[in-house]
Structures are given as C-alpha cells and as structure tokens.
Amino acid sequence: MRELIGTYPHVRVQGDGRQVVSQAGSVLLVETARKTGLDRAIAAALAPWRKPRTVHDPGKILLDLALTVAMGGDCLADITMLRAEPALFGSVASDPTVSRLVGTLAACGDKALRAIRAARSEVRERVWQLAGEMAPDAGGAVTVDLDGVLVIAHSDKEDAAPTWKKTYGHHPLTAFVDHGPGGTGEPVAALLRPGNAGSNTAADHITATRQALAQLPKKYRRGRQTLIRTDSAGGTHDFVAWLTQRGRWLSYSVGMVITDAIHQHVLKVPASAWTPAVEADGEIREGAWVAELTGDVLTGWPKGMRLIVRKERPHPGAQLRLTDADGMRLTCFATNTTGLPIAELELRHRLRARAEDRIRAARSTGLRNLPLHHTAQNQIWLEIVQIALDLLAWMPMLALTGKARCWEPRRLRLCLFTAAGQLVTTGRRRILRLARHWPWTSHITAALERLAQLPNPG
C-alpha cells in the first residue's frame, strides 16, 4: 500500500461542474436590498435615465455594481462575477452597457447624484425603523464623524495631484454615522476633492456636512440631538460658526490645533483643576487628565463654545512636540455640549477614532483606488461605494447578532459571502443548499431567517 506524500491531499480538478453556486453567501446582500426596498428605490430614482425598449434597468445595473463592490470588486469589469451566477443575481448587463450608464450618469452631474442620494436617504429611514433598538438613533441622538482619506492614483487621472503625505492622487472628505460599540457605521457623504485639497478647508466641511444631514431622517437634520465630530481639520472659525448658526443649532465636538495662546493657558491651569480621564468602561485612564480652558482664549469663537484640553504621558519612545508641556502630550477639542462632566465629553470625542475603522472598511470596499479617469465618473463610483457600504452596514444591523454585527467587510466576505452552495430545482422551486461543513453556515441561515421575518417594502 502506497502512502500519500505531501502536506495536502491531491485532488483532481475538472471544470464541468453543474448547479454549483460560488459566492452563495452573498444572497444575504441580495435579500437585504430586497427587504429594505433599496432595489425599488434606486430603480425609481434612475427611471428618468431608462431609455425606451431598453433591456436592463439603470437602477438594477447600479445596484449590481454596488453588490460587486460589496463582495470585493474594485472596478466596473468585476461585475462579471455576478453575471456568472444568474440564479442569484438575475440578468446582469454587459460591460459596455455598464460603462455607458456610468458615463451617462456622470454627464448629468448633480441631477443624477441628487436622485441616487434621495433614494439612499429614503431607504435609510426605513432601515432604522426596521432595526429598532439596534438602530444608530435608538438613544434619540445621532453622531456623524467627518474625516478625510487619501486615495492614491497610479496613473494620471483628472484632479489627481500631490498630497500632503508626498503621494499622488485624490483627497475625498467622508462622513459616517457611528453605530457605537455594538455595530459598525454607515456612509452618509463622500466629497471627491483633488489631492492637494486642504485638510482644514471650511467650505468643504460645510458641503460634506450638508450632504450628511440630507441623508438623515428629517428630525435629525437640525438640533442638538445630532452631533458632528471631526479631528482638528474641522476646528475652524467658519465651520464652527456654521454648525451653530441660528436655526441649525447642531451639537459639535471638533479637534483644535494647540496654538501658542492655548499652550500658554494650559501652563497656567492649576493642578487642582485637572480631572482624571476615563475609559469607555468607566475606569480611570492611567496617566491622563483633562481640564477646561476659559477666558480670552475663547475670544472670537461662537457663544457657548467650551475648550477642553487633555494631557497624557506619551508612550515610551514617542517624540514630544513643541506644543507639548512638562513632558505631557497635549490634545484639545471644542464642544458646545453642556450638562456632562468634561471627562465624559473627552471620552466621547476620543471615540471619534472609530472613524478610522470606517475608512479602513471603505478602503477594502472600492476606495482603494478610483478606477475611472474623469472626476464626474469617479464621483458616481463614490456613490456606488457608499451603497455597497450601506448594504454591509445594514445587513449585520438587521440580520446578525453578537460579535458578528461588528465584523468588517473583509471578515464578512471570508466567513459569509464566500460560502459555496448547490442550486436545486424541485417542485417549481429553486433551493440553495449551503455546504453543511462550512463553519459559518448557521450564521448565514439564521440571518436569512431574520431577514425573512421583516415586512416587505410597500
């Protein structure tokens, strides 16, 4: 008897398998789009762009592209993997048809963008209602995080320019709704900008915030129940004044640059005025203290603004800056929230770091590069990326439980979407049988059962 040689078993491969479905777990995304009404909303929004006697609906094409990106695609041609599985995704347009649609929408400019964004806003309100206690506004408040992201261009594209990090590409400004520690987050704005766009440009922050507010349910588009968080790029006079303008009255928590005036005030703060910083679990943050600055350092800023500074022992080996003091790393932020301890306000602002997780997820979901040449076309691509990220946020919020609700796109693809299945037709019904030995098959089937219990749209 001859023993097998090698670490892995030898398997003969044949390319004539039938009724085998790859990426079978992506049926979760398809069902999420159907239950939330996203497919109908996008189709209705793009109805003006459907030509007479056309075969493929523009809304279906755009949603197919979003599904492609959600499953890991990073260019228009990757829609091929949907076209190969008509049993799951239906009829999928050809590459030339897809390219023509993107070009047509890009040529229409803001009209097409407004139609797509209006459909997303409509669906978002329904999703939050379906999510109930799991929705990001379950506590009666919504937090929107703004942050910039650098997208490197490997070829000469319109508006690509050198960036502040010595790279070459674009510098979009994004906004995400924070789902808190029990979830991920969903995109509500993506403003495409040249690579040399300023980080602290107030006009761009205002435009991105307008787009973000338009994505929220109407009751959150103004008022203190909506919190806008940014890093120090948002700490400008014009942006803070716009946030607090009469009739808008938004809450804000924006980072501030440590100027010489702020530095001098910190040096004058007595030891008794420093309060220990806290962690998310309520425990004291070792080696960190917070204090509130008052006096003429607030001159010229909107009424009601509070300036809170944190000093913290730097990590071993960290380089101190000129604005640091007494061997302590200084950071500062401004807010107009009252009635909360400054340690709690500082913790709330520090949690803005979750926006970095959202950007990492976006990079792995179509934002690693902008695949098209013209800026108008790449702006359409950003809308497709946002729809994909919406699906990747809504599906866990509606269908998954426990730690799986916090899984990032890469893990969702690895564990759920890549599951293989067998399509069986019996009694005029098509049944998708998932591999029994796959470790996460139970997650997929349980999630589909939860989606099936949701009411159908309309």
Side-chain angles (χ1 to χ4, degrees):
M1 180 177 178
R2 189 174 61 180
E3 295 183 359
L4 293 177
I5 300 176
T7 306
Y8 298 98
H10 178 69
V11 179
R12 292 187 177 182
V13 179
Q14 296 179 347
D16 59 351
R18 300 179 180 179
Q19 303 301 323
V20 177
V21 179
S22 59
Q23 301 284 342
S26 57
V27 69
L28 285 168
L29 296 174
V30 176
E31 191 66 8
T32 299
R34 189 180 71 84
K35 281 294 186 176
T36 59
L38 181 62
D39 53 348
R40 296 186 181 185
I42 296 292
L46 297 186
W49 285 271
R50 180 166 189 172
K51 297 179 180 180
R53 292 181 294 180
T54 188
V55 175
H56 297 283
D57 181 80
K60 173 70 163 54
I61 297 175
L62 199 74
L63 188 55
D64 283 344
L65 283 172
L67 290 171
T68 300
V69 174
M71 293 162 58
D74 61 0
C75 65
L76 300 182
D78 285 341
I79 200 172
T80 301
M81 63 179 172
L82 268 67
R83 193 181 300 117
E85 301 292 352
L88 284 186
F89 305 107
S91 177
V92 177
S94 64
D95 288 348
T97 302
V98 171
S99 182
R100 282 195 300 268
L101 175 65
V102 173
T104 300
L105 296 177
C108 294
D110 290 341
K111 183 179 179 181
L113 294 175
R114 286 195 298 269
I116 297 171
R117 291 166 182 168
R120 292 177 55 219
S121 176
E122 173 190 341
V123 176
R124 192 180 317 280
E125 186 169 4
R126 169 177 167 80
V127 171
W128 288 10
Q129 292 174 354
L130 292 174
E133 295 181 355
M134 298 299 178
D137 66 335
V142 173
T143 299
V144 178
D145 292 317
L146 272 69
D147 206 349
V149 54
L150 295 179
V151 181
I152 296 176
H154 299 282
S155 61
D156 190 17
K157 298 178 182 179
E158 187 178 4
D159 285 339
T163 70
W164 61 274
K165 277 196 173 182
K166 312 297 183 182
T167 57
Y168 182 80
H170 298 82
H171 188 189
L173 183 60
T174 61
F176 295 87
V177 171
D178 184 23
H179 283 194
T184 56
E186 52 193 278
V188 285
L191 179 63
L192 184 57
R193 305 186 299 169
N196 56 3
S199 297
N200 58 348
T201 305
D204 291 344
H205 279 75
I206 292 173
T207 301
T209 305
R210 287 186 185 275
Q211 293 181 12
L213 294 175
Q215 284 294 306
L216 305 180
K218 290 184 178 180
K219 62 181 178 179
Y220 296 116
R221 295 177 185 177
R222 63 183 64 197
R224 290 296 179 89
Q225 72 274 16
T226 301
L227 174 68
I228 306 297
R229 285 191 306 203
T230 73
D231 55 10
S232 58
T236 60
H237 286 78
D238 291 342
F239 182 55
V240 174
W242 183 87
L243 292 173
T244 58
Q245 193 174 24
R246 182 178 177 85
R248 195 168 286 117
W249 296 308
L250 297 168
S251 296
Y252 63 85
S253 182
V254 300
M256 301 290 288
V257 176
I258 303 291
T259 62
D260 183 65
I262 293 176
H263 187 261
Q264 295 301 321
H265 273 74
V266 171
L267 296 178
K268 298 176 183 178
V269 175
S272 59
W274 291 98
T275 301
V278 297
E279 298 284 8
D281 56 4
E283 296 294 328
I284 292 178
R285 184 178 178 87
E286 186 177 354
W289 298 266
V290 294
E292 183 171 359
L293 304 182
T294 58
D296 58 359
V297 72
L298 298 175
T299 302
W301 292 95
K303 184 180 179 180
M305 176 173 145
R306 304 175 66 186
L307 199 59
I308 298 173
V309 64
R310 182 188 73 183
K311 66 176 183 179
E312 185 173 16
R313 295 194 186 99
H315 296 291
Q319 294 289 333
L320 290 176
R321 299 169 295 191
L322 293 176
T323 54
D324 294 334
D326 299 330
M328 294 286 188
R329 174 62 51 83
L330 298 181
T331 55
C332 186
F333 72 97
T335 183
N336 60 347
T337 302
T338 59
L340 292 176
I342 58 174
E344 187 172 339
L345 293 175
E346 191 275 332
L347 172 64
R348 184 186 69 176
H349 182 76
R350 200 185 332 137
L351 293 177
R352 195 205 66 81
R354 281 198 286 255
E356 301 297 334
D357 298 334
R358 307 289 78 79
I359 289 177
R360 182 174 63 249
R363 287 185 183 277
S364 66
T365 311
L367 202 57
R368 183 178 62 85
N369 70 85
L370 299 176
L372 305 171
H373 178 76
H374 297 290
T375 297
Q377 295 174 330
N378 282 322
Q379 184 63 66
I380 298 295
W381 176 260
L382 280 185
E383 295 300 318
I384 294 171
V385 169
Q386 289 181 84
I387 296 174
L389 291 170
D390 280 337
L391 286 171
L392 292 173
W394 293 343
M395 187 275 290
M397 185 167 61
L398 296 174
L400 298 181
T401 59
K403 294 182 179 180
R405 287 192 68 239
C406 299
W407 285 355
E408 292 192 359
R410 287 181 179 179
R411 185 163 181 81
L412 288 173
R413 296 178 192 123
L414 174 66
C415 299
L416 303 185
F417 303 158
T418 58
Q422 181 184 22
L423 192 65
V424 178
T425 303
T426 175
R428 297 184 179 180
R429 293 185 304 169
R430 288 185 298 180
I431 301 174
L432 182 63
R433 293 178 177 173
L434 301 177
R436 182 184 302 176
H437 60 272
W438 188 249
W440 300 280
T441 294
S442 60
H443 286 72
I444 301 173
T445 55
L448 289 172
E449 290 177 1
R450 295 186 189 95
L451 290 173
Q453 294 173 3
L454 299 176
N456 292 321

